[in-house]
Structure formats: structure tokens, C-alpha cells
Amino acid sequence: MIISIIGSGGKTTRMKELLHQYKEEGKTVLMTTSTHMRIEEDTLVDPTYEEIHEEIKNKGYAFAGNRFDESKIKALDQDLLNQLKKEVDVVLIEADGSRGMPLKVPADYEPVIDEDTDEIILITSMKGLGKRVKDVVHRYELLDLDPEKIVDGALIQQLVRYYIKRYPDAVIEVKQPEGLYQRTLASLIEHNVDVTCIQKEWFMPQPKLVLLGAGHVSQYVEKTAHLLDFYTIVIDNREEFANKNIFTEAQEVHCVNYEEAEQYFPKEENTCYVIMTRGHKDDKVCLKKALDQKALYVGMIGSKGKVKKTMDALIEEGYDESLLKQVHAPIGLPINSQTPAEIAISIMAEIIQIKNTHQYSTMTSDLYHTKEKGTLCIITFKEGSAPRGVGSMMLVTDEKIIETIGGGRVEYQAICDARNEEGIRSHHYELSNKEGATLGMICGGRNEVLFIPLK
């Protein structure tokens, strides 16, 4: 068995994984290169046949090549390699180079595939995602890529497909995916399914919520936000209010002067700011700090007179009136709310309205942070009154279900489909007429659900 490993960063690591696997199976292994590899501690440099044979006899494997320079080896002499091919169970050949970068565009003379190769493994990496092309793509000039372009999933797939055009039978392996979105991208790329079938926005966590002011309304907002799976940060300058004994569900509670509040602001651009301090002066300080952030929502509680006074003061300081009009003040949806609990519901309802207008994720933290293996089920199309919207997800593992795509018989069928089939595929579920009646549904419409296996 001769395996050539091509692509970008992670090839040597994959060779070592294969070495361990084949040694466990009791097979002898030769590791070498057809281009250049770094010299490691156990590398045999400029070896004779006898030296390699003895190494394999004693250790079950040998890592060998001829010297290229002080730090790298190059290919073994072809006659020596051909002799070893007849005697070793597995030959692993690193057949490409990327100077340690996670992504690569191959030149015309790359990779260098041994003519007796049985299998080609194509390695790419998620490590370059979100970074500039010039920093993470080796030989990007060959495709005239914009060096300042930020690498996304589509570009990684484009580079992989550049290889696949030459070697259509290569096995694609994506290394170092972190988080649910990257794991999903990796699966699509490995199965050579267009990554544009998903949207990054579907994989965002629920927005973070910053409560500036820890009075009675804030306490009810915190409880409501907890039910909605928001990450909540409470900030107030009074110790008797800003403490975990009162805000038991908040992830962070900080007692600090409002002038210093921004040090606790999240970096996410879909953060929501709710200003509910005890006075006009503090409202003004907090509003200025919130307006300096990229935010999904900024709202400020208060009477019409109090709000107007704050806005007028900011206009006098030079703030653009059009920017101030984006502030939700009066805050919340107009539901004639009276009690602190009702006001909290109106505030969170307005935030949900804004969030869902932008088609942000409805994903819970349990799904967002999961490392479980299984099949991810994503609603990619909705028509009619289907219970969950596009982008809703559910992970089906061998032992449990994380999240929901609507419940009922349709979800039950989706769970069965997820466990009974392999690979990436899409299923159509009709929620009306004959099939809807069979599934016990009283709502109409239809869904398309995409099934993606996650490792």
C-alpha cells in the first residue's frame, strides 16, 4: 500500500496518525517524501538500504530521506525506494509542500505523486478561516487571489477543488475545525458539497445582552433573557444591586462606574444594549458608550421627557441625529406594559423582533458549544406554517437529541432518517394534504431539511 499525502498544513501530522494506525495493525511502515520535509529526531538522513531495513526491523517503521539542507530532507533514490516498496507493508509519502501554511494553490509541477500510489489523501485546514489570503495561502498569486481578501469557507473549497480537478479520487480531509460552524463546513468540503448551502449567520450564538442598570426592570429582563438563552452581562455602580445574589441567571455581574463599563462589553457585533440606569446623567454616559459599539440593538428606558433631554444633550455634543434615531427609546414593543415583568417582556420581544429580522440564529448554547458526533439536521427551506424557520437545527447522536426543528411526527421522522442514512443528503417533508394528515400535522407548508454528518 502506497499513500501519497498532498495539500497544505497538517500533512506530517496525518502521516504520524497513519503510522500509529498501521503499527497497531502490526504492519511495517516507511515514511518519506517526494518533495521536502523537515528533519525530525528519528529521521534517517542519506540512509543505506541496510540502515532502513534495520530501523524497520527494530521499530516497525522508518522515517527516511536524502538531505536537502540543514533542516530538510528530499526524496530517496528511486531505485532504493522501489526496492523498499516490495518489502514494506505501507509507504507513506508526503508529496506536497506548503511552507507550513494552512492553505495552498499548487504549481503546475506540484504535487509530486509516486507512480505506484494506491491512495491520495488531500489535506486542507480550517486554521486559515477568517484570515487574510496573503497570510495563510501558499502561492496565492497563481490564482490571482486578492491578498487582502478574508478567507471564507467558499475559498477553502475553491482551493480544494483546484486539486480535485487533477485528482478526482483523492480523499479530502479537513483539519483543525473548531466549533459547530467549522465542523459543518469541514463535512461539506470533505463530501465535496457546495458550502453555500448553509449560511454562517445560522451558526451564531444567541446575542449577548448588556444590561446597564440593575434596577427592578433589569431583574425581570435578566430572567426573561435566560429563558431565551441570551448570554447576559449586568453592569451597575451600586453594590446592593449589582451582585449575583440578585442576578442569579446572568453570566456576568459587574459593579463598576459607568465610565468604565466598556471594558466588559462583548466583541460580538450582534450584542444588544439595554440602558436602564437610575438617572439622566448615567443614561447619557451609557448611551454614548453603546453608540460607540457595533450593536444589533440599543434601547433606553425612560419617559419621553427624560429621553428627549438625553438626546438633546448628545446632539449638542455633536452626535448625528440620524444615529440617535436608531436608538429604541421609548424601549420595547408597545403592548401597554405596566409592571416591571411586562416591561421586560416588551423589551425582549422587541429584541427578538430585531434579531429575527436579520435572520440570526435561534441556536441554544447547548448546540452551539457541543462537541458531540452525529448528524446535524438544518431546515434550509420553509413554506407555509411550518413550526420552525430556515436555519433551525437539531443534532442527532446515537444517544440523544440536541435542540429541535419543530417537534411532532416530522421531527420524529427526521430523527429516524438521520440515524438510518449516511452521507450528506436533503429530505423533503410535506406538512399539508395527504402526507401532513399521515404525520398527524394540523399546520400546512413544507420543509427541506439538510442532513450533514459531523465527526
Side-chain angles (χ1 to χ4, degrees):
M1 167 72 76
I2 300 175
I3 301 174
S4 289
I5 304 176
I6 64 175
S8 49
K11 296 184 296 297
T12 303
T13 299
R14 184 62 176 126
M15 285 183 69
K16 292 179 179 179
E17 292 171 351
L18 290 170
L19 168 64
H20 178 74
Q21 171 189 325
Y22 288 124
K23 282 186 65 181
E24 288 288 312
E25 296 173 6
K27 296 179 179 179
T28 56
V29 180
L30 170 66
M31 294 194 301
T32 188
T33 181
S34 59
T35 56
H36 303 117
M37 283 184 72
R38 291 189 180 278
I39 297 173
E40 300 197 9
E41 186 177 350
D42 60 349
T43 305
L44 297 177
V45 181
D46 295 330
T48 62
Y49 166 80
E50 288 75 20
E51 288 173 327
I52 295 175
H53 186 271
E54 187 66 19
E55 184 88 345
I56 293 175
K57 178 181 177 181
N58 294 332
K59 298 168 57 176
Y61 75 95
F63 180 20
N66 290 332
R67 183 178 296 280
F68 175 71
D69 58 25
E70 289 300 314
S71 62
K72 292 183 178 181
I73 56 169
K74 60 182 180 180
L76 291 167
D77 294 336
Q78 192 61 48
D79 289 343
L80 174 56
L81 178 60
N82 289 338
Q83 184 177 1
L84 292 166
K85 288 177 186 178
K86 301 174 184 177
E87 302 175 9
V88 179
D89 295 321
V90 181
V91 179
L92 303 176
I93 303 175
E94 185 170 305
D96 209 352
S98 62
R99 295 187 178 178
M101 289 189 174
L103 301 167
K104 178 183 178 179
V105 180
D108 291 340
Y109 54 85
E110 298 172 309
V112 183
I113 305 295
D114 186 273
E115 63 181 4
D116 295 322
T117 294
D118 299 294
E119 180 180 346
I120 298 174
I121 298 177
L122 169 57
I123 303 292
T124 191
S125 171
M126 282 290 163
K127 201 172 181 180
L129 197 67
K131 299 178 181 177
R132 295 181 302 179
V133 162
K134 68 180 183 181
D135 296 328
V136 294
V137 182
H138 184 44
R139 302 195 197 284
Y140 66 86
E141 303 91 345
L142 296 177
L143 287 184
D144 292 325
L145 296 177
D146 179 358
E148 298 297 329
K149 176 181 171 64
I150 300 301
V151 173
D152 58 13
L155 179 56
I156 294 176
Q157 186 165 67
Q158 177 187 349
L159 299 177
V160 167
R161 286 177 169 175
Y162 194 74
Y163 274 97
I164 291 297
K165 285 181 181 179
R166 301 186 191 182
Y167 306 102
D169 295 328
V171 177
I172 305 168
E173 295 186 5
V174 182
K175 299 302 179 185
Q176 298 173 302
E178 296 180 356
L180 188 66
Y181 175 60
Q182 290 192 18
R183 290 171 64 200
T184 305
L185 275 182
S187 184
L188 292 169
I189 291 170
E190 289 181 344
H191 288 84
N192 201 19
V193 174
D194 197 335
V195 298
T196 60
C197 68
I198 63 170
Q199 296 182 27
K200 186 176 181 180
E201 289 78 9
W202 298 346
F203 293 81
M204 296 180 69
Q206 292 286 39
K208 289 187 177 180
L209 175 65
V210 179
L211 301 180
L212 292 154
H216 293 303
V217 175
S218 282
Q219 293 168 33
Y220 282 97
V221 172
E222 177 234 23
K223 290 179 172 60
T224 309
H226 172 70
L227 293 175
L228 297 169
D229 209 45
F230 279 62
Y231 184 103
T232 303
I233 302 169
V234 179
I235 300 174
D236 198 293
N237 57 4
R238 300 166 291 176
E239 290 184 6
E240 64 270 27
F241 286 90
N243 66 76
K244 286 291 289 183
N245 292 326
I246 296 176
F247 291 92
T248 57
E249 307 293 355
Q251 281 71 30
E252 299 179 35
V253 180
H254 303 288
C255 182
V256 62
N257 290 329
Y258 291 118
E259 292 286 358
E260 304 171 21
E262 70 270 20
Q263 65 182 301
Y264 301 108
F265 288 178
K267 296 180 180 179
E268 290 85 351
E269 294 184 6
N270 66 335
T271 297
C272 301
Y273 295 87
V274 174
I275 301 168
M276 296 181 288
T277 76
R278 59 179 172 174
H280 161 70
K281 179 182 176 182
D282 290 335
D283 279 353
K284 177 183 172 184
V285 170
C286 292
L287 182 55
K288 289 172 66 174
K289 292 185 179 298
L291 290 173
D292 287 340
Q293 312 300 313
K294 290 184 178 180
L296 173 64
Y297 176 94
V298 177
M300 185 172 66
I301 201 169
S303 65
K304 290 183 179 179
K306 180 183 176 184
V307 169
K308 186 177 185 305
K309 187 175 181 180
T310 301
M311 297 298 188
D312 288 345
L314 291 180
I315 290 173
E316 288 182 11
E317 291 186 17
Y319 278 80
D320 192 307
E321 191 170 353
S322 63
L323 176 64
L324 296 176
K325 285 182 178 179
Q326 297 176 25
V327 178
H328 296 267
I331 199 170
L333 293 183
I335 60 173
N336 295 320
S337 51
Q338 302 293 324
T339 67
E342 290 174 350
I343 295 170
I345 289 172
S346 75
I347 292 170
M348 291 308 301
E350 186 171 56
I351 288 174
I352 291 170
Q353 183 184 62
I354 299 297
K355 174 181 77 75
N356 290 347
T357 298
H358 289 79
Q359 202 178 9
Y360 279 113
S361 165
T362 57
M363 185 184 304
T364 64
S365 57
D366 285 346
L367 182 55
Y368 180 77
H369 293 291
T370 188
K371 296 181 180 178
E372 296 271 1
K373 299 177 181 179
T375 298
L376 188 65
C377 309
I378 309 174
I379 297 177
T380 57
F381 176 82
K382 168 189 171 179
E383 185 176 71
S385 58
R388 294 299 297 273
V390 170
S392 298
M393 300 183 202
M394 170 180 71
L395 182 66
V396 180
T397 76
D398 290 338
E399 299 178 350
K400 59 184 176 181
I401 311 298
I402 303 176
E403 256 290 358
T404 177
I405 56 170
R409 288 282 298 173
V410 167
E411 181 168 294
Y412 172 77
Q413 186 60 51
I415 292 169
C416 293
D417 292 339
R419 286 177 170 158
N420 292 333
E421 300 180 30
E422 297 181 355
I424 295 177
R425 66 274 188 204
S426 184
H427 279 267
H428 170 85
Y429 297 100
E430 190 74 33
L431 307 181
S432 59
N433 302 326
K434 182 177 179 181
E435 186 174 348
T438 303
L439 294 172
M441 303 296 294
I442 60 173
C443 58
R446 59 191 179 95
N447 279 343
E448 294 287 340
V449 180
L450 181 65
F451 293 79
I452 303 176
L454 300 182
K455 297 189 293 186

mmCIF file of all heavy atoms in Angstrom, residues 200-224:
data_model
loop_
_atom_site.group_PDB
_atom_site.id
_atom_site.type_symbol
_atom_site.label_atom_id
_atom_site.label_comp_id
_atom_site.label_asym_id
_atom_site.label_seq_id
_atom_site.Cartn_x
_atom_site.Cartn_y
_atom_site.Cartn_z
ATOM 1 N N LYS A 200 -23.485 31.324 7.408
ATOM 2 C CA LYS A 200 -22.765 31.488 8.662
ATOM 3 C C LYS A 200 -23.671 32.033 9.757
ATOM 4 O O LYS A 200 -23.530 31.679 10.934
ATOM 5 C CB LYS A 200 -21.561 32.416 8.446
ATOM 6 C CG LYS A 200 -20.664 32.540 9.664
ATOM 7 C CD LYS A 200 -19.445 33.396 9.363
ATOM 8 C CE LYS A 200 -18.538 33.483 10.580
ATOM 9 N NZ LYS A 200 -17.345 34.323 10.303
ATOM 10 N N GLU A 201 -24.618 32.915 9.388
ATOM 11 C CA GLU A 201 -25.495 33.529 10.377
ATOM 12 C C GLU A 201 -26.323 32.499 11.143
ATOM 13 O O GLU A 201 -26.722 32.742 12.286
ATOM 14 C CB GLU A 201 -26.438 34.534 9.703
ATOM 15 C CG GLU A 201 -25.774 35.802 9.209
ATOM 16 C CD GLU A 201 -25.024 35.600 7.892
ATOM 17 O OE1 GLU A 201 -25.171 34.514 7.276
ATOM 18 O OE2 GLU A 201 -24.292 36.527 7.487
ATOM 19 N N TRP A 202 -26.590 31.345 10.515
ATOM 20 C CA TRP A 202 -27.368 30.313 11.212
ATOM 21 C C TRP A 202 -26.614 29.743 12.409
ATOM 22 O O TRP A 202 -27.222 29.160 13.306
ATOM 23 C CB TRP A 202 -27.686 29.163 10.260
ATOM 24 C CG TRP A 202 -28.514 29.529 9.074
ATOM 25 C CD1 TRP A 202 -29.225 30.681 8.879
ATOM 26 C CD2 TRP A 202 -28.707 28.737 7.895
ATOM 27 N NE1 TRP A 202 -29.855 30.656 7.662
ATOM 28 C CE2 TRP A 202 -29.557 29.479 7.034
ATOM 29 C CE3 TRP A 202 -28.255 27.491 7.486
ATOM 30 C CZ2 TRP A 202 -29.961 28.993 5.792
ATOM 31 C CZ3 TRP A 202 -28.653 27.009 6.251
ATOM 32 C CH2 TRP A 202 -29.504 27.741 5.413
ATOM 33 N N PHE A 203 -25.314 29.900 12.419
ATOM 34 C CA PHE A 203 -24.482 29.255 13.429
ATOM 35 C C PHE A 203 -24.025 30.224 14.534
ATOM 36 O O PHE A 203 -23.196 29.872 15.359
ATOM 37 C CB PHE A 203 -23.254 28.622 12.776
ATOM 38 C CG PHE A 203 -23.590 27.467 11.877
ATOM 39 C CD1 PHE A 203 -24.038 27.678 10.586
ATOM 40 C CD2 PHE A 203 -23.482 26.166 12.336
ATOM 41 C CE1 PHE A 203 -24.362 26.617 9.744
ATOM 42 C CE2 PHE A 203 -23.804 25.095 11.510
ATOM 43 C CZ PHE A 203 -24.242 25.323 10.216
ATOM 44 N N MET A 204 -24.550 31.423 14.511
ATOM 45 C CA MET A 204 -24.176 32.371 15.551
ATOM 46 C C MET A 204 -24.865 32.006 16.854
ATOM 47 O O MET A 204 -25.996 31.518 16.862
ATOM 48 C CB MET A 204 -24.571 33.793 15.141
ATOM 49 C CG MET A 204 -23.836 34.307 13.922
ATOM 50 S SD MET A 204 -24.339 35.987 13.472
ATOM 51 C CE MET A 204 -23.639 36.898 14.848
ATOM 52 N N PRO A 205 -24.197 32.242 17.982
ATOM 53 C CA PRO A 205 -24.882 32.042 19.262
ATOM 54 C C PRO A 205 -25.945 33.113 19.439
ATOM 55 O O PRO A 205 -25.954 34.125 18.717
ATOM 56 C CB PRO A 205 -23.756 32.210 20.295
ATOM 57 C CG PRO A 205 -22.791 33.137 19.618
ATOM 58 C CD PRO A 205 -22.842 32.779 18.156
ATOM 59 N N GLN A 206 -26.852 32.900 20.370
ATOM 60 C CA GLN A 206 -27.806 33.953 20.665
ATOM 61 C C GLN A 206 -27.042 35.224 21.037
ATOM 62 O O GLN A 206 -25.949 35.158 21.611
ATOM 63 C CB GLN A 206 -28.703 33.540 21.823
ATOM 64 C CG GLN A 206 -29.654 32.395 21.477
ATOM 65 C CD GLN A 206 -30.797 32.848 20.593
ATOM 66 O OE1 GLN A 206 -30.627 33.654 19.687
ATOM 67 N NE2 GLN A 206 -31.981 32.323 20.833
ATOM 68 N N PRO A 207 -27.597 36.396 20.705
ATOM 69 C CA PRO A 207 -26.880 37.643 21.012
ATOM 70 C C PRO A 207 -26.566 37.769 22.499
ATOM 71 O O PRO A 207 -27.299 37.261 23.347
ATOM 72 C CB PRO A 207 -27.883 38.726 20.579
ATOM 73 C CG PRO A 207 -28.760 38.071 19.590
ATOM 74 C CD PRO A 207 -28.874 36.645 20.022
ATOM 75 N N LYS A 208 -25.495 38.449 22.777
ATOM 76 C CA LYS A 208 -25.205 38.792 24.167
ATOM 77 C C LYS A 208 -25.980 40.047 24.529
ATOM 78 O O LYS A 208 -26.192 40.934 23.697
ATOM 79 C CB LYS A 208 -23.704 38.995 24.360
ATOM 80 C CG LYS A 208 -22.927 37.684 24.288
ATOM 81 C CD LYS A 208 -21.465 37.857 24.655
ATOM 82 C CE LYS A 208 -20.760 36.505 24.650
ATOM 83 N NZ LYS A 208 -19.324 36.620 24.995
ATOM 84 N N LEU A 209 -26.421 40.092 25.753
ATOM 85 C CA LEU A 209 -27.260 41.175 26.238
ATOM 86 C C LEU A 209 -26.538 41.904 27.363
ATOM 87 O O LEU A 209 -26.134 41.282 28.351
ATOM 88 C CB LEU A 209 -28.589 40.613 26.740
ATOM 89 C CG LEU A 209 -29.566 41.586 27.392
ATOM 90 C CD1 LEU A 209 -30.061 42.606 26.373
ATOM 91 C CD2 LEU A 209 -30.740 40.829 28.014
ATOM 92 N N VAL A 210 -26.370 43.215 27.211
ATOM 93 C CA VAL A 210 -25.735 44.038 28.241
ATOM 94 C C VAL A 210 -26.801 44.901 28.892
ATOM 95 O O VAL A 210 -27.447 45.722 28.224
ATOM 96 C CB VAL A 210 -24.628 44.931 27.644
ATOM 97 C CG1 VAL A 210 -24.001 45.799 28.738
ATOM 98 C CG2 VAL A 210 -23.553 44.075 26.972
ATOM 99 N N LEU A 211 -27.000 44.700 30.182
ATOM 100 C CA LEU A 211 -27.956 45.489 30.948
ATOM 101 C C LEU A 211 -27.187 46.547 31.726
ATOM 102 O O LEU A 211 -26.425 46.229 32.644
ATOM 103 C CB LEU A 211 -28.743 44.597 31.912
ATOM 104 C CG LEU A 211 -29.546 43.458 31.285
ATOM 105 C CD1 LEU A 211 -30.277 42.659 32.356
ATOM 106 C CD2 LEU A 211 -30.528 43.978 30.249
ATOM 107 N N LEU A 212 -27.352 47.781 31.342
ATOM 108 C CA LEU A 212 -26.688 48.901 32.008
ATOM 109 C C LEU A 212 -27.683 49.522 32.976
ATOM 110 O O LEU A 212 -28.569 50.282 32.611
ATOM 111 C CB LEU A 212 -26.215 49.916 30.967
ATOM 112 C CG LEU A 212 -25.084 49.383 30.075
ATOM 113 C CD1 LEU A 212 -25.061 50.086 28.729
ATOM 114 C CD2 LEU A 212 -23.746 49.523 30.779
ATOM 115 N N GLY A 213 -27.530 49.120 34.217
ATOM 116 C CA GLY A 213 -28.502 49.464 35.249
ATOM 117 C C GLY A 213 -29.125 48.197 35.793
ATOM 118 O O GLY A 213 -29.540 47.324 35.017
ATOM 119 N N ALA A 214 -29.189 48.067 37.115
ATOM 120 C CA ALA A 214 -29.596 46.804 37.734
ATOM 121 C C ALA A 214 -30.826 46.964 38.622
ATOM 122 O O ALA A 214 -30.937 46.335 39.669
ATOM 123 C CB ALA A 214 -28.432 46.222 38.543
ATOM 124 N N GLY A 215 -31.764 47.806 38.187
ATOM 125 C CA GLY A 215 -32.988 48.002 38.955
ATOM 126 C C GLY A 215 -33.987 46.880 38.759
ATOM 127 O O GLY A 215 -33.670 45.805 38.239
ATOM 128 N N HIS A 216 -35.249 47.138 39.163
ATOM 129 C CA HIS A 216 -36.266 46.084 39.147
ATOM 130 C C HIS A 216 -36.565 45.580 37.743
ATOM 131 O O HIS A 216 -36.713 44.378 37.529
ATOM 132 C CB HIS A 216 -37.552 46.611 39.799
ATOM 133 C CG HIS A 216 -37.407 46.881 41.262
ATOM 134 N ND1 HIS A 216 -37.005 45.917 42.166
ATOM 135 C CD2 HIS A 216 -37.593 48.017 41.989
ATOM 136 C CE1 HIS A 216 -36.959 46.427 43.381
ATOM 137 N NE2 HIS A 216 -37.293 47.714 43.304
ATOM 138 N N VAL A 217 -36.632 46.477 36.752
ATOM 139 C CA VAL A 217 -36.918 46.022 35.389
ATOM 140 C C VAL A 217 -35.784 45.146 34.879
ATOM 141 O O VAL A 217 -36.021 44.107 34.242
ATOM 142 C CB VAL A 217 -37.156 47.224 34.454
ATOM 143 C CG1 VAL A 217 -37.336 46.747 33.010
ATOM 144 C CG2 VAL A 217 -38.382 48.019 34.893
ATOM 145 N N SER A 218 -34.565 45.538 35.170
ATOM 146 C CA SER A 218 -33.408 44.733 34.737
ATOM 147 C C SER A 218 -33.471 43.316 35.296
ATOM 148 O O SER A 218 -33.101 42.351 34.621
ATOM 149 C CB SER A 218 -32.101 45.395 35.179
ATOM 150 O OG SER A 218 -31.769 46.471 34.354
ATOM 151 N N GLN A 219 -33.949 43.208 36.522
ATOM 152 C CA GLN A 219 -34.023 41.884 37.124
ATOM 153 C C GLN A 219 -35.000 40.984 36.369
ATOM 154 O O GLN A 219 -34.755 39.790 36.198
ATOM 155 C CB GLN A 219 -34.434 42.028 38.601
ATOM 156 C CG GLN A 219 -33.362 42.717 39.449
ATOM 157 C CD GLN A 219 -33.857 43.117 40.818
ATOM 158 O OE1 GLN A 219 -34.705 42.425 41.397
ATOM 159 N NE2 GLN A 219 -33.344 44.216 41.355
ATOM 160 N N TYR A 220 -36.088 41.553 35.897
ATOM 161 C CA TYR A 220 -37.042 40.769 35.112
ATOM 162 C C TYR A 220 -36.531 40.532 33.691
ATOM 163 O O TYR A 220 -36.784 39.480 33.098
ATOM 164 C CB TYR A 220 -38.402 41.465 35.080
ATOM 165 C CG TYR A 220 -39.189 41.283 36.360
ATOM 166 C CD1 TYR A 220 -39.170 42.258 37.349
ATOM 167 C CD2 TYR A 220 -39.936 40.129 36.583
ATOM 168 C CE1 TYR A 220 -39.886 42.098 38.531
ATOM 169 C CE2 TYR A 220 -40.648 39.953 37.758
ATOM 170 C CZ TYR A 220 -40.616 40.940 38.738
ATOM 171 O OH TYR A 220 -41.318 40.761 39.905
ATOM 172 N N VAL A 221 -35.820 41.508 33.129
ATOM 173 C CA VAL A 221 -35.221 41.306 31.807
ATOM 174 C C VAL A 221 -34.225 40.149 31.860
ATOM 175 O O VAL A 221 -34.175 39.296 30.963
ATOM 176 C CB VAL A 221 -34.528 42.589 31.309
ATOM 177 C CG1 VAL A 221 -33.743 42.305 30.025
ATOM 178 C CG2 VAL A 221 -35.547 43.688 31.052
ATOM 179 N N GLU A 222 -33.432 40.103 32.927
ATOM 180 C CA GLU A 222 -32.451 39.022 33.071
ATOM 181 C C GLU A 222 -33.124 37.666 33.087
ATOM 182 O O GLU A 222 -32.673 36.713 32.432
ATOM 183 C CB GLU A 222 -31.650 39.237 34.354
ATOM 184 C CG GLU A 222 -30.641 38.122 34.661
ATOM 185 C CD GLU A 222 -30.812 37.536 36.050
ATOM 186 O OE1 GLU A 222 -31.920 37.652 36.615
ATOM 187 O OE2 GLU A 222 -29.844 36.935 36.556
ATOM 188 N N LYS A 223 -34.240 37.547 33.822
ATOM 189 C CA LYS A 223 -34.943 36.263 33.899
ATOM 190 C C LYS A 223 -35.523 35.876 32.541
ATOM 191 O O LYS A 223 -35.459 34.715 32.120
ATOM 192 C CB LYS A 223 -36.046 36.348 34.948
ATOM 193 C CG LYS A 223 -35.537 36.433 36.384
ATOM 194 C CD LYS A 223 -36.680 36.550 37.375
ATOM 195 C CE LYS A 223 -36.190 36.450 38.808
ATOM 196 N NZ LYS A 223 -35.225 37.505 39.170
ATOM 197 N N THR A 224 -36.088 36.853 31.842
ATOM 198 C CA THR A 224 -36.659 36.571 30.517
ATOM 199 C C THR A 224 -35.563 36.204 29.523
ATOM 200 O O THR A 224 -35.714 35.281 28.720
ATOM 201 C CB THR A 224 -37.444 37.790 30.011
ATOM 202 O OG1 THR A 224 -38.360 38.213 31.007
ATOM 203 C CG2 THR A 224 -38.194 37.456 28.737
#
